[in-house]
Amino acid sequence: MADELGACFGQVREGHPAEWEFAFDAHACLWQPRQAVELGAALAPHEFLALLTAQGADIVQPDICVVGGLTQMVRIAAVADAHYVPVAPHNPLGPLATAADAHFAAATTNFGILEYKPAEVSWCPDPYLPVDGHLELRPDRPGWGVEIDETALEEGDWVHWERKVPTRPDGSTAWM
C-alpha cells in the first residue's frame, strides 16, 4: 500500500506546477507504526523534511489518543514549532480526549485550533463545551477537569477502543 501511495503522490507532484501545494491525509489508513514508517519511506524521495524546513507544511494533526499521550504530543509540537508549523490536534474520540487536548492546547505555544466533535455520553455528564468559540479550562477541578461516572460505564454506554502499544522495560514505546 505504501509503495502505491508513494508512486501516486509522485505522479501527482510531477504532473502539476511546482508552485502548487498538496496535502496528504492518511486519516484512518495507518493502523500500525510500521505502516507509517513504510509510507514515510515511500514518500521520502519527495523530501518531507525539506518541505517542513521551507515552511511547506501548514499544519500537523497528531491524535493524543494514538501518538502516546500528552508527552508525545508535546514532543511532536516541539518539532513542528522548530519549523514554524502549528498543531491542530485530531480529536474524534470523545469528551475525555477533548479534555486532554484542551490542556495540551493551553500549554502549547504553536497550538492552532482543536477539532471538536460533540458527543453526548452518559459516562461524562460534564464535558467541555465551547463557550464563545473556545473551551475554558477548569483549574478548580482535579485531573483533566471532567467527571467520569463509573456507574454509567457499567451499563455499557461506551465503545471500547484500544490501541495496543508495546513497551520497553523503561516504559517507552517499542514499535521496532
Side-chain angles (χ1 to χ4, degrees):
M1 178 178 99
D3 290 336
E4 291 174 22
L5 285 173
C8 178
F9 189 78
Q11 289 174 348
V12 168
R13 176 72 276 162
E14 291 168 8
H16 295 86
E19 64 271 10
W20 287 18
E21 297 178 3
F22 295 95
F24 176 77
D25 184 355
H27 179 74
C29 294
L30 304 176
W31 296 106
Q32 297 177 5
R34 71 167 176 75
Q35 291 174 311
V37 170
E38 291 170 0
L39 181 58
L43 295 176
H46 311 297
E47 303 296 333
F48 183 69
L49 183 56
L51 183 66
L52 281 178
T53 303
Q55 297 181 3
D58 293 325
I59 201 160
V60 295
Q61 274 195 288
D63 186 319
I64 200 165
C65 296
V66 175
V67 300
L70 184 59
T71 300
Q72 291 302 100
M73 286 288 282
V74 169
R75 290 175 178 161
I76 291 166
V79 170
D81 195 29
H83 293 91
Y84 307 101
V85 175
V87 178
H90 182 242
N91 182 37
L93 294 177
L96 189 54
T98 297
D101 277 325
H103 284 263
F104 163 78
T108 304
T109 58
N110 60 326
F111 167 75
I113 191 168
L114 176 62
E115 175 181 359
Y116 180 82
K117 178 182 177 185
E120 286 190 33
V121 294
S122 64
W123 53 267
C124 185
D126 61 344
Y128 281 87
L129 298 173
V131 175
D132 295 328
H134 67 278
L135 301 176
E136 294 181 354
L137 294 182
R138 300 167 175 174
D140 58 328
R141 294 178 170 196
W144 297 118
V146 293
E147 297 283 331
I148 302 298
D149 182 353
E150 293 181 27
T151 305
L153 289 174
E154 292 173 1
E155 296 173 11
D157 182 22
W158 52 275
V159 175
H160 178 80
W161 185 85
E162 180 180 348
R163 183 171 194 105
K164 297 193 185 306
V165 179
T167 56
R168 296 183 178 108
D170 69 356
S172 63
T173 57
W175 292 109
M176 300 181 141

